[in-house]
């Protein structure tokens, strides 16, 4: 008898000397990060925003697509896209980051989508706020969680499922949470959740359910796979862990100069060089970015550009560097208004989530 | 003294037991393939088309961008985008494939961008034909090669360079070769060569120079890196090799059913299943596709849909399969009108180019 257990194995950590497996490469070939030079764009262009798709991009017809709102509500609702577009329309500029960003740099390495540092993007999401819709449906007084179900279907660690994630009621009612149907002023692309997705500003990407088809209100905590099993911070397999929620602060350096094709090491000619990049946090606005050009021995403050998109969008930083011949390792680290700052030693957990250790950019300033 | 040689090492083959390196993963995180379920779209949507960018996406201002035509011509020309848009406008539907597609499946594995099978896309490219422009410039009678230079700059195997590729004059004068400024009806995206790129229908991707800024006619064969060193079919490092040119025939199966997240193995319930996919060749139209559901023991003909886009666009095929419980390996193989067909054993060369061994799709038809 053939069963899903044959094709779907438990999660595991890589052996200390184990390089990237064929399965990890297969994921890397389909899910991609932002090419780091694209940190130059405040708004990430279509196709350069990071993507993490658990199963397949589903084949949905926008004309027939509906959103069902039900469960512990007084008035269940069914809306099509015209209904949603007829509701109040708002746009938020939001930085999305995959909760697994940085995973492939961890020791030991959790075996999953092997991100380095590039699983991020910043886009304008247009749609209608979720909270008024929930209030129209009438949440029961004892509502606890709101479950968002996408149309993408697959198997994960032996569990066949539609992709589903729940938010606590208080988070679902935050005014900036959106049912989004446009990205950067155009209809959503298939890979970004067309025709409808959830946007939860400040949270890691797993919360922003794509291909959204239903919202169901529960009076008990949701026990589905993506909340109860997958996206949890735990130190070992037996640890129940805590949920992955908001984005930890991170700064990225836009690599200066030009690259070597294979090593991606940067080559730069000597002289004054403005280093720049982006910094963000889902907990609170970024208030400081520091830069090191000596691999972390010393840090100096960068200047922050004016915010361009509210508290959930990344912010540009700049640092003037006098580049002299030699080899360098550049890093930047962000601190937010909640006091969180990026660590220089890896924060490790078994899923490889919310890992915001500082990036290292290798640069050769050449004398010829 | 710091030099480019420190950051840029010679090409190499992986050791027999060597898994994917950090450098290969770094390339895979930025250059991505088509997610195979997107083979459902005849025209590949923005952001799902494969991308291979040797260096960085350059930062170009379309308003100030010009194209220079010079070298062995009677009348050198400089054109801006308005000049090019004022010329005759044509649209071709063209399948582009990276010459390195399939490289990471080779034994031994050439260490470079580690493609599996997904480095392909099919798009509509709009622009103006190149040949009339070359005739207006007036090619010298002894012209041999036409060199196309992009604005992307980097180091490769120790050679600092702008990306440059030459075409023999006869190929540059083919009527279907385009200077393209639109993809799928929209201005080129930055990562696809904005504001201007070359399209050479039938050739592997390396010929379709992105971010095109100059065209120079030579009376001697071009000896630049990408033609003379990089894109050549050779059996060992000392072999001068032959140039990589046109796309070898290939068919891909759109994986049926739904995936396991990690292994990407497909899960399917028993019953009739229409398998489908796409097939293409740069040498001649695809005339036949065969399918195996038993790992290559037996092959049966697929049916071909009517062509949708001329001889350089992929063509859809279909095959009716009665899926019964068990484990299967599905493959398809294409044959073109020139008599070329896909091999079931790997065609190997040191760069891992033009490798069109058949894809293998693992499927579990589950009984529950």
């Amino acid at each position: 008898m053939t069963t899903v257990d044959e094709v779907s194995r438990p999660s595991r950590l890589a052996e200390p000397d184990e390089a990237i497996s064929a399965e990890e490469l297969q994921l890397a070939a389909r899910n991609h990060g932002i090419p780091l030079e694209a940190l130059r764009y405040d708004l990430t262009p279509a196709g350069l925003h990071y993507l993490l798709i658990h199963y397949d991009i589903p084949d949905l017809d926008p004309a027939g697509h509906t959103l069902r709102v039900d469960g512990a509500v007084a008035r269940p609702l069914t809306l099509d896209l015209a209904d949603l577009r007829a509701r109040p329309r708002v746009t938020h500029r939001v930085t999305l980051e995959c909760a697994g960003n940085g995973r492939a740099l961890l020791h030991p390495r959790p075996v999953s989508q092997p991100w380095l540092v590039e699983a991020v993007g910043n886009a304008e999401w247009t749609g209608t706020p979720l909270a008024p819709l929930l209030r129209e449906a009438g949440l029961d007084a004892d509502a606890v969680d709101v479950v968002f179900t996408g149309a993408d279907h697959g198997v994960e660690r032996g569990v066949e499922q539609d992709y589903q994630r729940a938010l606590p009621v208080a988070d679902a009612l935050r005014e900036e949470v959106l049912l989004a149907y446009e990205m950067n002023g155009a209809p959503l692309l298939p890979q970004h959740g067309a025709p409808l997705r959830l946007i939860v500003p400040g949270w890691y990407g797993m919360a922003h359910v794509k291909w959204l088809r239903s919202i169901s209100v529960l009076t008990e905590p949701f026990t589905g796979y993506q909340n109860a099993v997958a996206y949890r911070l735990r130190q070992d397999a037996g640890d129940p862990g805590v949920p992955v929620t908001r984005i930890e602060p991170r700064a990225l350096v836009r690599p200066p100069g030009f690259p070597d094709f294979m090593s991606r090491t940067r080559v730069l000619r000597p002289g004054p060089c403005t280093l720049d990049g982006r910094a963000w946090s889902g907990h609170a606005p970024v208030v400081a970015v520091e830069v090191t050009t000596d691999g972390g021995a010393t840090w100096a403050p960068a200047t922050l550009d004016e915010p361009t998109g509210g508290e959930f969008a990344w912010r540009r930083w700049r640092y003037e560097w006098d580049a002299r011949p030699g080899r360098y390792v550049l890093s930047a680290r962000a601190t937010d208004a909640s006091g969180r700052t990026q660590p220089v030693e890896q924060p490790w957990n078994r899923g490889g989530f919310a890992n915001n250790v500082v990036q290292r950019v290798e640069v050769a300033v050449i004398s010829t």
Side-chain angles (χ1 to χ4, degrees), chain A:
Chain A
M1 200 169 88
T2 307
T3 68
V4 293
D5 293 330
E6 287 181 29
V7 303
S8 192
R9 284 172 291 274
S11 66
R12 69 181 186 91
L13 302 176
E15 297 299 319
D17 57 352
E18 184 185 341
I20 298 296
S21 65
E23 291 191 347
E24 288 166 291
L25 177 61
Q26 205 166 219
L27 285 171
R30 50 178 282 121
N31 295 308
H32 66 88
I34 188 172
L36 293 178
E37 67 272 25
L39 293 170
R40 79 165 70 100
Y41 308 110
D42 189 49
L43 214 59
T44 309
L48 297 181
H49 195 287
Y50 97 89
L51 274 183
L52 189 285
I53 295 169
H54 280 240
Y55 315 125
D56 282 0
I57 300 168
D59 189 17
L60 299 179
D61 174 13
H65 192 76
T66 58
L67 175 68
R68 175 78 183 162
V69 183
D70 60 19
V73 296
R75 292 166 294 278
L77 301 168
T78 300
L79 302 98
D80 62 18
L81 283 171
D83 297 331
L84 290 163
R85 285 183 169 272
R87 298 179 61 86
R89 174 185 170 95
V90 299
T91 297
H92 293 313
R93 195 172 284 211
V94 179
T95 297
L96 294 193
E97 182 177 8
C98 185
N101 202 11
R103 178 184 289 124
L105 298 170
L106 292 174
H107 301 283
R109 182 180 83 250
V111 175
S112 183
Q113 167 71 32
W115 292 123
L116 300 167
V117 298
E118 62 292 278
V120 67
N122 188 56
E124 281 191 344
W125 302 95
T126 298
T128 193
L130 173 65
L133 194 67
L134 291 178
R135 285 193 289 266
E136 282 172 38
L139 295 185
D140 289 358
D142 55 352
V144 171
D145 274 353
V146 182
V147 184
F148 300 87
T149 303
D152 43 334
H153 186 86
V155 185
E156 210 161 337
R157 312 301 182 200
V159 182
E160 186 179 339
Q161 58 193 288
D162 289 343
Y163 188 85
Q164 284 191 311
R165 280 279 309 180
L167 286 175
V169 164
D171 291 294
L173 290 173
R174 282 171 53 212
E175 66 173 343
E176 60 269 27
V177 175
L178 284 189
L179 300 171
Y181 43 73
E182 291 180 10
M183 177 184 181
N184 292 351
L188 291 182
L189 291 164
Q191 66 270 34
H192 287 294
L196 189 70
R197 74 176 299 174
L198 188 67
I199 292 291
V200 187
W203 285 51
Y204 281 114
M206 78 283 154
H208 306 242
V209 177
K210 298 189 281 287
W211 312 293
L212 184 66
R213 62 176 181 77
S214 102
I215 300 175
S216 197
V217 180
L218 304 188
T219 56
E220 301 287 340
F222 177 63
T223 59
Y225 177 86
Q226 301 297 343
N227 282 71
V229 179
Y231 286 101
R232 299 188 81 84
L233 304 173
R234 50 167 71 96
Q235 289 302 309
D236 59 66
D239 177 2
V242 298
V244 178
T245 58
R246 286 176 182 263
I247 298 173
E248 297 297 318
R250 190 193 288 270
L252 287 178
V253 178
R254 183 168 68 90
F258 52 86
D260 173 59
F261 168 70
M262 191 65 223
S263 68
R264 306 305 299 174
T265 299
R266 310 300 300 194
V267 179
L268 195 62
R269 297 221 148 69
C273 171
T274 303
L275 297 176
D276 71 352
R278 307 279 169 178
W280 62 93
S281 169
H283 290 279
V286 167
V287 292
V289 171
E290 296 160 285
V291 172
T292 179
T293 59
D294 55 15
T298 60
W299 294 84
T303 58
L304 288 170
D305 281 9
E306 287 303 305
T308 54
E311 66 176 305
F312 300 110
W314 64 24
R315 196 163 165 189
R316 192 174 190 183
W317 59 263
R318 298 166 200 258
Y319 178 81
E320 298 303 327
W321 180 39
D322 183 22
R324 299 187 189 178
R327 300 294 296 262
Y328 299 88
V329 176
L330 313 181
S331 304
R333 69 178 176 201
T335 300
D336 71 19
S338 77
R340 289 175 174 84
T341 194
Q342 278 184 263
V344 291
E345 301 290 336
Q346 66 169 18
W348 190 90
N349 58 77
R350 203 171 184 284
F353 297 122
N355 158 45
N356 62 338
V357 69
V358 296
Q359 172 199 24
R360 292 169 57 86
V361 179
E362 294 193 26
V363 177
V365 181
I366 60 173
S367 33
T368 52

